Every structure is written in C-alpha cells, then in structure tokens.
Amino acid sequence: MHDRWGFNTKAIHGAGGTHALKAVSPPIYETTTFRYDTVEEGAALGVDRGEGYYYTRWGNPTTAALEERVALLEGGEMAIATGSGMGAISTVILGLLRTGDHLVAPRATYQAAHELFAQILPRYGIEATLIDTVDVEAYEAALRPQTRILYIETPNNPLLDITDIAGVVRLAHGHGALAVADNTFASPYNQNPLVLGADVVVHSATKYLGGHADVTAGIMVGRRDLLLALRPHFRIHGPVLDPFAAWLVLRGIKTLGLRMERHNANALTLARALAAHPKVERVHYPGLPEHPGHRIAHRQMRGFGGMLSVEVTGGIAAGARVVEALRTALLAVSLGSVETLVTHPASTTSVGIPAADRARAGIREGLIRVSVGIEDVEDLVDDFTHALQAA
Ligand code: PLP
C-alpha cells in the first residue's frame, strides 16, 4: 500500500506497521548492546544472520527505523545512518575506492568533502580531478580509464550551480563507474537522485532531514549490493549515530514535506525581492528563470530549495556589514533548519582560501549565502531590505 502513498504519508507512516506496545511514536532503544540466549545465537548475529540485534555499532532498532524511512523517501533499497554527513561521505568514498582508482568531483563541493578529495585521497593513492564547471561535458573531459566515481552535489555550495543528474549517471554507467550524489541541499522532498539512476546518495541529516539545528547526523542510501559492501567499512570506521539522535532525525522527517514547501516558497520570494534591490549585483537561486541551471532544475527537482546566495555591491567590507546588520536571520554556519542562517564566505567560512582561489571558485567578495528558514517571509524581506542599507 505504501507504494501508492504520497511523500508526506510515507514521511509520517513509513511503510506502515506498528511499534512495540502500539506506541505511536517509535521507542528509543538507547542501548549499546543486546542480550542473546546461546553462544550460537550470538555468533550468528555477529555475522548478520538471524533475527535481532547484536551491538549498536552493528545496528540498532531506532536507527534502523530511520534508515528504512530515508530509503523509502529516496527510493533506495538500503540505507546506513551515520553520526554526521561527513561520516557518510567518508565511508562511501573510502569504502568504494581503492588504490589506483580515480574520482571526478566539482571543485565547489562542501568544504570538508573537497578536503577529503584533494588532501586525504592522494595519501591512499587515489586521484581526484576537481572540475571547475558542473556540466556533463566537464565530467566527461575528466574521465580516465581508472575513473570509478563521478561525485555530484546539486544544487551546490555556495553558488547553487545545477548538475544534470541523469546526464552524469549515463556518463558514469557508460564508463563502468558509479554516480554518487550529495542530496543535502535539495532534500528527498525536492529531488531523488536514485530515481534518476544514481547508485548512492549521501545526506548531511544535520540539515533539512533533522531540520531544527539540534542534531548532527548523516545517512547513505542506495543499491543494496553497494550498501552491503559499505557496511563493514562503516563498522570499522565507526561513525555511529546515537539512537536518540536517530529518533530526532526521524521526528524531523515527519514534517519534512511541509517544511520544504515553506523553504521553497520563502526562498523564491526572498530571491525575487533581493534581485530587485539596488544594492544587489546578482542573486543565485535555481528558481529564478535567469539562473543558468533553471531549466535542468525544473526538470529534476520538485521545488527549487531553500538555499540562495546573493552578491552585494561594495565587496568584502559591504558583505560583512550587511550580515552584521541582520536582525532576524542569524549569522551562523550550517543550513536547512527552520531559522534563517546566513554566512559571508569571504570573511568567515572561506577566509582561509586565498582571494585568487576564491575568485576561481566563483566566491565573490560580497557573496552572502542564505539558508532561508520558514519564518514569515515578510519579516525576512524586511530584515534583508533593512540590512542592505548598510552595504
Ligand atoms: N554535505 C553538504 C552539502 C553540507 O553542506 C555539509 C555540511 O555543511 C555536509 C555534507 C557535512 O555534513 P555534517 O556537518 O553533518 O558532517
């Protein structure tokens, strides 16, 4: 029956069924270990045979409920939840690649993923080509016989560039490689890369899935054979999600559809208002028809998401003045929560990158990244309009 359910019904009810004692809210199994009655039973559980649980780093019923829910919403066969988004990304990348392999990824990905590709992988004899544009042609030009993963992040950070997921998937599969997508910015409500053919999707569940800036979590979801191959790596690297944190993400997911509708609507309204402001040079939002990725985003996304970035006139000092003048939006890293969060990359998150490299990555000095929350949109428009006077 759940196959025919809409997104919100699936987000709330999962695949149906009841919890222990017919509890409406799932129980939190805050335990590290599980008793078994015979040594044979324990030995079987340790190698994933038989019914039941063994040790929370192996698996936990609360975490399993979250994994099933995300697999259902993303259209995946299996999922493994992790203690952070980077826990999921590191496990997928290090678990699927081996010495001699090659990966292609955009230069502009989430910073820690970028560091994994550029600094950690070479230490294991794995090469990464980081491409400056995110179109299929750029991926194709970077292919090598050893290419094993094409890594996608769309919309990406901080310019909201859009990649044609189905196009990169076709390229990857034609080359005998895998397509791995970070779907954090879009959320499973707005976009399902697995349905477009991707092999594995990763999320920072810290963002929209949790949704309230109160839990750090991650998840990988996709083909069962790949997830089963990743499971031993996950257990050895050990980025385990605490069961209570799993429960918080599961609770957040119940309102994901509602929240995303509001994030999508607020971001579009704010993007339009900012685009019309005299102190604004440019707004990057895939929902605006002038955004270069608008057509592809329209095809592959259900909504354009809650993330946008805006270039204010006056360079680095003006950007800093504007973010400090905001009264409703909060100056804080991270994204995807109910509060509007703002960062100014040139003076904070990307301050360690030389100005020339920032420019190469398209991070202009006056660029402000906004994770548009679900507040009343008039208050957000007022806040930004007022703050822009400080530019
Ligand atoms: N992927 C994206 C797109 C992100 O923005 C982030 C964090 O900001 C991550 C992954 C990493 O997630 P976490 O902080 O949960 O490790």
Side-chain angles (χ1 to χ4, degrees):
M1 173 168 71
H2 67 268
D3 290 343
R4 294 198 308 274
W5 280 348
F7 185 91
N8 291 306
T9 315
K10 286 182 186 166
I12 292 164
H13 293 288
T18 44
H19 304 299
L21 303 176
K22 298 187 183 171
V24 169
S25 172
I28 305 169
Y29 289 92
E30 195 70 51
T31 181
T32 56
T33 191
F34 299 83
R35 228 186 63 199
Y36 41 86
D37 293 327
T38 64
V39 289
E40 285 82 7
E41 188 190 350
L45 289 171
V47 292
D48 298 302
R49 277 195 280 109
E51 286 286 302
Y53 288 89
Y54 179 65
Y55 184 56
T56 282
R57 181 156 49 80
W58 256 233
N60 175 286
T62 313
T63 312
L66 169 65
E67 292 164 345
E68 279 165 28
R69 194 70 49 98
V70 174
L72 183 65
L73 297 179
E74 281 288 18
E77 293 172 348
M78 183 177 165
I80 301 174
T82 52
S84 69
M86 280 315 298
I89 293 172
S90 301
T91 304
V92 168
I93 298 302
L94 293 170
L96 293 178
L97 296 179
R98 57 185 62 202
T99 303
D101 285 346
H102 173 247
L103 161 143
V104 183
R107 186 174 301 283
T109 50
Y110 173 59
Q111 186 150 334
H114 175 98
E115 286 173 32
L116 171 67
F117 303 148
Q119 285 160 35
I120 308 287
L121 292 187
R123 292 174 47 184
Y124 298 95
I126 301 165
E127 283 194 50
T129 300
L130 302 180
I131 50 180
D132 287 329
T133 56
V134 295
D135 43 277
V136 180
E137 291 72 25
Y139 278 92
E140 189 166 17
L143 286 180
R144 296 185 194 167
Q146 306 80 2
T147 307
R148 174 104 172 100
I149 289 183
L150 302 190
Y151 187 87
I152 303 166
E153 188 186 303
T154 183
N156 80 349
N157 196 10
L159 296 179
L160 289 308
D161 289 329
I162 299 292
T163 299
D164 175 358
I165 298 174
V168 175
V169 164
R170 268 196 303 277
L171 185 67
H173 292 172
H175 195 73
L178 299 169
V180 174
D182 182 335
N183 203 29
T184 301
F185 266 39
S187 90
Y189 181 77
N190 280 330
Q191 179 173 277
N192 298 119
L194 296 176
V195 175
L196 297 168
D199 302 285
V200 179
V201 158
V202 288
H203 275 282
S204 168
T206 315
K207 318 299 190 223
Y208 289 107
L209 294 176
H212 297 75
D214 55 7
V215 56
T216 300
I219 196 154
M220 48 191 138
V221 49
R223 274 169 40 194
R224 180 174 301 279
D225 62 325
L226 293 174
L227 269 289
L228 285 175
L230 287 168
R231 196 162 64 182
H233 294 270
F234 162 75
R235 289 175 180 168
I236 290 165
H237 298 317
V240 180
L241 183 62
D242 179 78
F244 179 56
W247 184 87
L248 280 174
V249 178
L250 201 48
R251 182 172 72 161
I253 285 175
K254 293 181 185 183
T255 55
L256 179 64
L258 273 182
R259 285 187 283 109
M260 290 318 300
E261 280 172 25
R262 181 68 168 247
H263 284 296
N264 292 343
N266 278 5
L268 184 60
T269 304
L270 187 62
R272 285 187 179 136
L274 291 173
H277 196 284
K279 296 267 177 77
V280 167
E281 281 174 13
R282 198 159 160 207
V283 177
H284 302 268
Y285 183 62
L288 295 178
E290 58 270 29
H291 186 284
H294 178 70
R295 205 174 42 82
I296 297 171
H298 191 266
R299 197 171 66 216
Q300 71 188 18
M301 298 180 80
R302 174 182 193 157
F304 297 105
M307 297 299 300
L308 62 84
S309 58
V310 52
E311 287 170 24
V312 302
T313 51
I316 192 162
R321 281 197 303 272
V322 170
V323 293
E324 287 176 359
L326 289 163
R327 294 286 168 264
T328 308
L330 308 176
L331 190 49
V333 295
S334 201
L335 61 109
S337 61
V338 291
E339 309 83 0
T340 297
L341 301 179
V342 169
T343 59
H344 177 223
S347 65
T348 47
T349 41
S350 303
V351 75
I353 305 175
D357 286 355
R358 281 204 301 266
R360 184 171 173 204
I363 305 171
R364 306 272 298 273
E365 305 290 83
L367 187 81
I368 295 169
R369 191 190 80 175
V370 187
S371 169
V372 184
I374 64 169
E375 298 95 336
D376 294 299
V377 75
E378 304 76 27
D379 296 331
L380 296 179
V381 172
D382 278 357
D383 195 28
F384 279 87
T385 309
H386 170 261
L388 278 164
Q389 288 167 5

